[in-house]
Amino acid sequence: MSQPRMPGRNFLFVPGPTNVPDRVMRAMMVAMEDHRSSKFPELTLWLFGALKKVFKTTSGQVFIFPSSGTGGWEAALSNTLSPGDKVLAPRFGQFSHLWIDLAQRIGFDVAIQDEEWGTGASPERIEEALRADRKHSIKAVLIVHNETATGVTSDVGVVRRAIDAAGHPAMLCVDGVSSIGSIDFRMDDWGVDLGVTGSQKGLMLPAGLGIVCASPKALAAHKNARCARTYFDFADHMKANATGYFPYTPSLPMLYGLRESLNILFEERLNRVFERHQVLAEGVRAAVKAWGLRLCAKEPKWYSNTVSAVMVPAGINGADVIDIAFRRYNLALGAGLSKVAGKLFRVGHLGDLNDLMVLGALAGAEMAMRDVGIDVPLGSGVAAAQAHFRATIMAKDKAPTETERFAEIHPEGVINTWAGGK
Ligand code: PLP
């Protein structure tokens, strides 16, 4: 017998797809139009420019593919490398594993650096491997910035420094699928050559777009890259994109939705978006501590601000927590994948979210955990997160305003001269 519909909204707390804001949904309800009209480039050229701001690049080139993040992975690698090329890739979770699998299936020779799940990319080991590669046969280093399976964020800036310290010319390719738009990502500052994301996480859209940003070095590599490609070929896109078009029929609703979601991010301001994600993540981590449980991420330096993977006690199946949360409380939590299947559940805390929404998810997780026999005191995690959210808001409210700070630095009141010296 099918279950009756549950009233109210489903609490979507998987780490992607994330909630699509109403504004974005409305923006996607468009009549179809001619994607070869003279007006169409107004939309697309704006999107390319706006996405560069999200990737934090001035010199990079953005590509928008009708795919998901996986298509972005394939586009990035097949456009810049040749079959048989060697690439170096740390593996510490299901998504770093899947990117490696894709690279192997395209025909690259992948040197895998296995790290313990719950940790991330090791700059020391990367530097060591690159120093040992005197002939520079390694053409690219593949890093998953935020490993969604374990809730681990690696420090891409430090990986860049390791590559530079080794004096190695390999390209730096970064999967930002569950970081971009939620955790700071700096294409130019970190010297990222290929950045990849998808639409259904920080960009708050349905799945359907794979977005790649390529540095000038990656575009130069493209000229000699011999992997077979047609649908994802950068060259076709560069030719059509230059004047605001696509080499094939684009998904109009997704593009209009993307315009709205980028506007929402810019209205909040990217830095504030990152701060909000940090505060929400800290609230979730405070809850996990209050429950007496631990995260899959081994140390604070690995903690992710977009997803927390919560280890369940021995003898409990994490999948049961997820199923009960879904069926009884209308709460969707993320499953443990591959090696950690059954050992954890994941709370995605990214996208269009606020404090109270997170508190609702924590309350639901507590009930589901109790239902399967985990001895967490009801309300303990919620209270810890509430305390953190309140303390953060109070500190913000007490912080001096810009005018007050200026008056402190310039007690002579220079600020008055701005108003005509009055
Ligand atoms: N990379 C990471 C870090 C992810 O979290 C995911 C999906 O969750 C992917 C890649 C694959 O993206 P998609 O499912 O959009 O193809």
Side-chain angles (χ1 to χ4, degrees), residues 91-93 115-120 147 149-153 295-303 309 311 340:
R91 176 166 62 184
F92 41 82
E115 306 292 350
E116 191 183 359
W117 285 35
T119 71
E147 175 50 80
T150 56
V152 159
T153 305
L295 292 171
C296 180
K298 303 276 178 216
E299 287 176 69
K301 71 171 180 176
W302 302 120
Y303 288 170
M311 305 301 295
V340 287

Side-chain angles (χ1 to χ4, degrees), residues 22-42:
D22 293 348
R23 258 176 74 179
V24 174
M25 292 218 234
R26 283 195 294 273
M28 290 194 302
M29 297 267 283
V30 287
M32 292 304 105
E33 63 181 84
D34 177 10
H35 59 284
R36 300 190 203 284
S37 78
S38 57
K39 191 172 180 296
F40 191 67
E42 275 173 33

